[in-house]
């Protein structure tokens, strides 16, 4: 059994009962809490801002893994730290000076990650890989939960795993989008360390059991 991490995404949670959803996750075997921040520009969807993150932080017992699907994230790095982000992921496609952004995230005391959209090749990360806590491979086009897993992601994950091994880095591989109890086993084999799971958990009649199943795969 592998020691992979589970990061439930609350994008498809019941926002009318968000506190009880987070308390459910607090009592689960999940390792992180994945927050999808969308600005309606970088992706065609809009989610939530700093007041909601602060409220979530006040009740969450898990590390906050904040995924920024926004343009020009440099504007808000300090604000996300103050709101409670522990891990902060920016999109390669949204950053002009990625090296500076990653080092600023570190200076603020957060763990930095870079996310790649399905069309963006992992080779572009070669020069920044050792500086990263994690690389997030989008296995759906970002913006919505409940989409179908993009099968080409497997080749990308294997190529990234090879890059990390050859660089002697300890960078984690995270996959995000379309993860299910059916495909998690083959994704672990391909080299994934951290799994973002939304719809598979929040559409289940027993989400706690699904999280346990995913964790003990
Ligand atoms: C999509 C988000 C994902 C999404 C995953 O843009 O980044 O985190 O919520 O949800 P599922 O597991 O439902 O595909
Ligand atoms: Zn996400």
């Amino acid at each position: 059994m592998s020691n992979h991490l589970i990061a439930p995404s609350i994008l498809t949670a019941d926002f009318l009962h968000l506190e009880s959803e987070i308390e459910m996750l607090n009592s689960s075997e999940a390792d992180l809490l994945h927050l999808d921040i969308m600005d309606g520009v970088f992706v065609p969807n809009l989610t939530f801002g700093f007041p909601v993150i602060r409220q979530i932080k006040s009740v969450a017992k898990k590390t906050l893994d904040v995924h920024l699907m926004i343009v020009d994230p440099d504007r808000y790095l300090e604000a996300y730290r103050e709101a409670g982000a522990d891990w902060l992921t920016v999109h390669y496609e949204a950053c002009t000076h990625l090296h500076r952004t990653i080092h600023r995230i570190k200076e603020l005391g957060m763990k930095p990650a870079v996310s790649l959209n399905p069309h963006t090749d992992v080779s572009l990360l070669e020069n920044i890989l050792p500086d990263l806590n994690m690389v997030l491979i989008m296995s759906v086009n970002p913006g919505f939960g409940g989409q179908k897993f993009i099968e080409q992601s497997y080749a990308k994950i294997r190529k990234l795993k090879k890059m990390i091994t050859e660089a002697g880095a300890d960078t984690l591989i995270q996959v995000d989008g379309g993860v299910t109890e059916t495909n998690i086993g083959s994704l672990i084999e391909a080299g994934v360390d951290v799994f973002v799971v939304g719809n598979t958990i929040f559409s289940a009649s027993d989400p706690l059991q699904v999280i346990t199943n995913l964790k003990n795969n």
Side-chain angles (χ1 to χ4, degrees), residues 34 36 67 69 136 176 196:
H34 185 83
D36 287 309
H67 177 193
M69 288 163 274
L136 166 46
D176 186 358
V196 178

Side-chain angles (χ1 to χ4, degrees), residues 102-124:
I102 293 301
H103 285 272
R104 182 66 184 133
I105 291 171
K106 281 186 173 181
E107 275 168 21
L108 289 165
M110 296 179 282
K111 291 195 173 186
V114 175
S115 181
L116 301 177
N117 281 336
H119 69 283
T120 307
D121 194 83
V122 295
S123 59
L124 292 167

Side-chain angles (χ1 to χ4, degrees), residues 84-103:
D86 299 299
W87 294 13
L88 194 67
T89 302
V90 293
H91 266 261
Y92 175 87
E93 304 88 355
C95 295
T96 309
H97 301 287
L98 183 58
H99 182 276
R100 182 188 295 142
T101 302
I102 293 301
H103 285 272

Side-chain angles (χ1 to χ4, degrees), residues 9 11 34 36 38 67 69 138 142-146 176-178 196-199:
S9 158
L11 187 64
H34 185 83
D36 287 309
M38 302 179 188
H67 177 193
M69 288 163 274
M138 289 308 299
F144 302 93
D176 186 358
V196 178
V197 187
N199 195 52

Side-chain angles (χ1 to χ4, degrees), residues 24-171:
M24 179 273 289
L25 294 174
N26 284 343
S27 68
S28 76
E29 290 191 55
D31 304 279
L32 303 158
L33 187 50
H34 185 83
L35 305 186
D36 287 309
I37 309 301
M38 302 179 188
D39 63 2
V41 178
F42 184 74
V43 290
N45 197 357
L46 204 53
T47 55
F48 48 87
F50 301 112
V52 176
I53 297 171
R54 272 193 286 276
Q55 300 276 342
I56 290 171
K57 184 70 176 185
S58 70
V59 292
K61 293 190 172 57
K62 309 286 183 186
T63 298
L64 294 195
D65 166 33
V66 178
H67 177 193
L68 299 184
M69 288 163 274
I70 68 173
V71 294
D72 191 10
D74 290 326
R75 295 167 294 163
Y76 300 122
L77 301 180
E78 291 78 6
Y80 281 111
R81 182 60 178 153
E82 281 151 31
D86 299 299
W87 294 13
L88 194 67
T89 302
V90 293
H91 266 261
Y92 175 87
E93 304 88 355
C95 295
T96 309
H97 301 287
L98 183 58
H99 182 276
R100 182 188 295 142
T101 302
I102 293 301
H103 285 272
R104 182 66 184 133
I105 291 171
K106 281 186 173 181
E107 275 168 21
L108 289 165
M110 296 179 282
K111 291 195 173 186
V114 175
S115 181
L116 301 177
N117 281 336
H119 69 283
T120 307
D121 194 83
V122 295
S123 59
L124 292 167
L125 295 178
E126 198 168 348
N127 299 320
I128 194 86
L129 199 59
D131 298 309
L132 301 178
N133 172 55
M134 182 168 73
V135 173
L136 166 46
I137 300 282
M138 289 308 299
S139 38
V140 294
N141 283 296
F144 302 93
Q147 300 180 85
K148 193 176 171 322
F149 184 88
I150 296 173
E151 293 301 319
Q152 287 92 317
S153 308
Y154 282 99
K156 210 165 159 179
I157 291 160
R158 290 193 186 93
K159 186 174 176 182
L160 176 59
K161 189 66 183 173
K162 188 165 173 289
M163 275 173 68
I164 292 169
T165 308
E166 285 170 0
D170 54 5
T171 313

